[in-house]
Amino acid sequence: MNKNLCNPFDDSAPERLRHMGLLTAEGVPEQDALAVIERLYAGLFYDALFDFYDDVGNVNVICLELAERLGTENPRRSFLNICSAYDAIYLAIPEPVWWMAGNLELIAHFSAGFIKRLTELIQKAG
């Protein structure tokens, strides 16, 4: 009954990230996979905001505030801001995103791509 509890900060994380296709065999971010993940989860998050707030004005304000915070801070803080935004609408962060938490290169890339996609969605809606 003794289970190994794994998390994004332990020694098994890089291998798990490789299994998900988020890191190459050399341990660097897999750009194509990250591009899909960023667009996918930003789009789902944007729709979840509409489900929660039901007002395009509120959604756009929240996305713009998030973009401002992400654009001026370090990658760890940007990633935490994304996680906090999920938490604010009572939504768990997706598991692949959670597994990125222990890899600074992944969270930097993901945060930048996530906010870029949110910004594109705001512009299309406006």
Side-chain angles (χ1 to χ4, degrees):
M1 300 304 276
N2 186 12
K3 288 186 171 185
N4 278 339
L5 297 177
C6 300
N7 66 64
F9 306 98
D10 68 22
D11 293 339
S12 70
E15 192 60 30
R16 288 174 185 265
L17 291 166
R18 282 185 198 89
H19 293 165
M20 286 186 266
L22 297 175
L23 288 179
T24 65
E26 295 78 29
V28 298
E30 177 56 65
Q31 303 295 323
D32 293 337
L34 281 169
V36 171
I37 294 281
E38 294 155 5
R39 292 180 63 84
L40 175 73
Y41 289 125
L44 289 170
F45 178 74
Y46 187 72
D47 288 340
L49 286 173
F50 274 103
D51 294 342
F52 190 81
Y53 291 105
D54 199 34
D55 179 323
V56 71
N58 286 337
V59 170
N60 286 342
V61 166
I62 289 165
C63 290
L64 289 171
E65 288 175 358
L66 186 58
E68 288 173 8
R69 286 192 308 238
L70 293 180
T72 60
E73 298 180 9
N74 69 48
R76 284 185 181 100
R77 188 156 302 198
S78 295
F79 187 77
L80 288 174
N81 282 326
I82 291 171
C83 293
S84 293
Y86 271 89
D87 191 50
I89 60 172
Y90 306 104
L91 190 64
I93 61 170
E95 192 167 346
V97 175
W98 182 76
W99 276 101
M100 288 184 222
N103 186 300
L104 186 58
E105 285 183 271
L106 284 176
I107 64 171
H109 195 289
F110 174 79
S111 297
F114 185 92
I115 199 58
K116 179 182 176 199
R117 181 60 180 155
L118 274 184
T119 303
E120 292 170 357
L121 292 168
I122 294 167
Q123 291 170 348
K124 286 180 184 177

